[in-house]
């Protein structure tokens, strides 16, 4: 199997590189390092089945095909990152998806899009099923990401209908684990860095907003299950174990044993009030569900950040 992964030097992309290499794939990783790092793939240097191409996917990609699988994971993914790179995010979801798809069309590869729970915006239905069409504030600060991913799903399905492109669409819910970037603003690396440094944890608003956190190992299993399945329609991949952000903060304090307190800051505009995947489709069609307890995943992730900061 020859597989191209865009965003392969990022958090999820680099874990996918490892997972697919373990299954005998030859990997071409394409990344412009805007939010990722070669640190995440440094251990693969010298692996004859792995190559890295530094390239911005909003520009045509000249990597030679054919490929069996093309996985489009490039995109800034944290609210802070896409706030900092709004136009790059829009272009990576739109032009980047078009350019990446060209590669799969040439060689007849299966194309997988990393979509997101953000296509549901600030959801009015709970939990979110794949047939919910979402509630996105079109001109709000998060829309650069949400609308780029919605467009990416639309263009993916248009190519499927028009050119019979073989497609998979993963709607990924909040995922965490080693190789997230410290300072990327996402809640788990932020709370962990603060706890390790003995600083107060910054909870936005009262912390009553909810999220459902999936460990990366479960996520990668789910993504692989979808990749090798025959399911064309979008599939939610995430952990339905929902919790308020304030509870997550308390859990990080407990696991780390930090003496830090909690500092409440303003809730950012458009921050979704609740999020929880309905994973019936993944359970029924992929026979997949997450298995890692949050406490276990958080403990492993904390060790990773502790080592990194040392
Ligand atoms: P990440 O920031 O760690 O990884 C994204 C990677 O894409 C980075 O290495 C970055 O340098 C690269 N990239 C961005 N724009 C690019 C461009 N124009 N050309 C080439 N490379 C580019 O984020 P992540 O959490 O690993 O997210 C990976 C994918 O999964 C993203 O598409 C994201 O939208 C999606 N996703 C992630 C989550 C999550 O909780 N981690 C949730 C929903 C969706
Ligand atoms: N959050 C927080 N403090 C932080 C960072 C994030 O309270 O320092 C909250 C944020 O408001 C959101 C949740 O944690 O409600 C998850 O935020 P993250 O940026 O990780 O992901 P997303 O908002 O995209 O789900």
């Amino acid at each position: 199997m020859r597989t191209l992964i865009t965003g392969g030097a990022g958090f999820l992309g680099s874990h996918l590189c490892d997972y697919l290499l373990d299954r005998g794939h030859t990997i071409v990783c394409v990344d412009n390092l805007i939010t990722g790092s070669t640190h995440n793939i440094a251990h693969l240097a010298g692996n004859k089945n792995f190559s890295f191409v530094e390239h911005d996917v909003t520009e045509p990609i000249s990597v030679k095909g054919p490929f069996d699988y093309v996985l489009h994971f490039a995109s800034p993914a944290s609210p802070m990152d896409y706030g900092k790179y709004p136009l790059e995010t829009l272009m990576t979801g739109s032009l980047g998806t078009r350019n990446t798809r060209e590669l799969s069309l040439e060689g007849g590869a299966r194309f997988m899009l990393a979509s997101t729970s953000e296509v549901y915006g600030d959801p009015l239905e709970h939990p979110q099923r794949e047939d919910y069409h979402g509630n996105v504030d079109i001109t709000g600060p998060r829309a650069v990401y949400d609308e780029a991913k919605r467009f990416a799903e639309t263009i993916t399905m248009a190519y499927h209908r028009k050119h019979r492109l073989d497609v998979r669409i993963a709607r990924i819910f909040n995922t965490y684990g080693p190789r997230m970037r410290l300072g990327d603003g996402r809640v788990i690396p932020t709370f962990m860095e603060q706890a390790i440094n003995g600083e107060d944890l910054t909870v936005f608003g009262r912390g009553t907003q909810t999220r459902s956190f999936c460990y990366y190992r479960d996520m990668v299993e789910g993504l692989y299950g979808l990749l090798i399945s025959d399911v064309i329609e979008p599939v939610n991949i995430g952990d339905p174990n929902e919790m308020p952000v304030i509870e997550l903060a308390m859990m990080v304090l407990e696991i780390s044993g930090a003496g830090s307190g909690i500092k409440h800051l303003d809730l950012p505009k458009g921050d979704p009030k609740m999020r929880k995947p309905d994973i019936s489709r993944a359970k029924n069609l992929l026979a997949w569900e997450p298995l890692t307890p949050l406490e276990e995943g958080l403990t492993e992730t904390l060790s990773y950040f502790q080592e990194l900061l040392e």
Side-chain angles (χ1 to χ4, degrees):
M1 293 295 165
R2 191 158 183 259
T3 300
L4 182 135
I5 306 182
T6 74
F11 159 52
L12 280 181
S14 64
H15 285 300
L16 271 169
C17 289
D18 289 347
Y19 188 91
L20 295 174
L21 282 164
D22 279 351
R23 272 151 197 81
H25 290 232
T26 297
I27 302 287
V28 179
C29 163
V30 178
D31 201 299
N32 68 350
L33 305 176
I34 189 171
T35 60
S37 166
T38 50
H39 182 72
N40 292 331
I41 48 170
H43 60 290
L44 299 175
N47 183 327
K48 65 177 180 11
N49 292 325
F50 178 81
S51 55
F52 171 63
V53 179
E54 188 171 340
H55 180 77
D56 181 340
V57 297
T58 63
E59 302 292 335
I61 307 168
S62 59
V63 180
K64 283 273 165 286
F67 291 97
D68 298 286
Y69 298 107
V70 172
L71 280 60
H72 183 35
F73 276 68
S75 173
S78 102
M80 198 189 79
D81 285 344
Y82 55 76
K84 188 171 168 197
Y85 301 113
L87 298 169
E88 290 86 345
T89 303
L90 277 164
M91 292 306 153
T92 302
S94 52
L95 267 180
T97 305
R98 199 273 310 267
N99 291 338
T100 307
R101 182 228 38 112
E102 292 290 331
L103 289 170
S104 19
L105 207 59
E106 277 168 23
R110 180 169 293 173
F111 177 79
M112 177 183 257
L113 173 69
S115 184
T116 168
S117 53
E118 284 279 332
V119 298
Y120 303 121
D122 189 3
L124 304 176
E125 287 186 14
H126 195 71
Q128 293 78 54
R129 285 163 41 114
E130 290 88 347
D131 56 8
Y132 175 50
H133 294 166
N135 177 41
V136 172
D137 174 2
I138 304 155
T139 54
R142 297 175 82 102
V144 292
Y145 181 67
D146 303 5
E147 295 294 1
K149 291 288 186 178
R150 288 168 68 98
F151 176 87
E153 285 200 23
T154 305
I155 192 173
T156 297
M157 287 311 293
Y159 278 117
H160 169 67
R161 295 191 182 103
K162 177 84 182 168
H163 297 295
R164 281 183 271 171
L165 183 71
D166 189 18
V167 301
R168 303 290 178 269
I169 299 175
R171 288 194 183 147
I172 301 170
F173 282 65
N174 296 67
T175 306
Y176 69 99
R179 300 192 194 155
M180 291 186 91
R181 199 179 85 244
L182 282 175
D184 88 350
R186 287 189 273 192
V187 68
I188 289 180
T190 304
F191 283 176
M192 290 195 166
E193 184 170 16
Q194 291 165 338
I196 293 166
N197 292 335
E199 296 161 6
D200 289 349
L201 274 52
T202 51
V203 170
F204 296 162
R206 300 310 308 158
T208 50
Q209 70 274 27
T210 66
R211 294 294 186 273
S212 312
F213 297 99
C214 186
Y215 198 43
Y216 83 93
R217 264 205 301 267
D218 289 322
M219 175 56 56
V220 168
E221 292 277 354
L223 292 170
Y224 184 69
L226 176 61
L227 184 69
I228 61 169
S229 77
D230 56 6
V231 183
I232 300 289
E233 66 253 43
V235 181
N236 289 339
I237 311 277
D239 192 321
N241 178 21
E242 180 188 15
M243 64 160 42
V245 166
I246 187 76
E247 269 182 36
L248 173 74
M250 303 310 288
M251 221 169 152
V252 170
L253 288 181
E254 198 182 309
I255 289 170
S256 62
S260 317
I262 301 278
K263 176 163 82 182
H264 290 277
L265 298 181
D266 288 347
L267 190 67
K269 189 174 180 305
D271 198 288
K273 288 179 272 308
M274 55 193 169
R275 181 180 295 151
K276 168 183 169 147
D278 179 320
I279 60 162
S280 314
R281 191 176 279 179
K283 275 186 181 171
N284 295 336
L285 300 181
L286 312 179
W288 171 87
E289 63 182 310
L291 300 172
T292 312
L294 185 60
E295 202 168 347
E296 185 184 322
L298 288 178
T299 305
E300 282 188 26
T301 308
L302 183 71
S303 304
Y304 168 82
F305 286 130
Q306 277 165 335
E307 269 177 41
L308 201 68
L309 285 167
E310 269 167 24

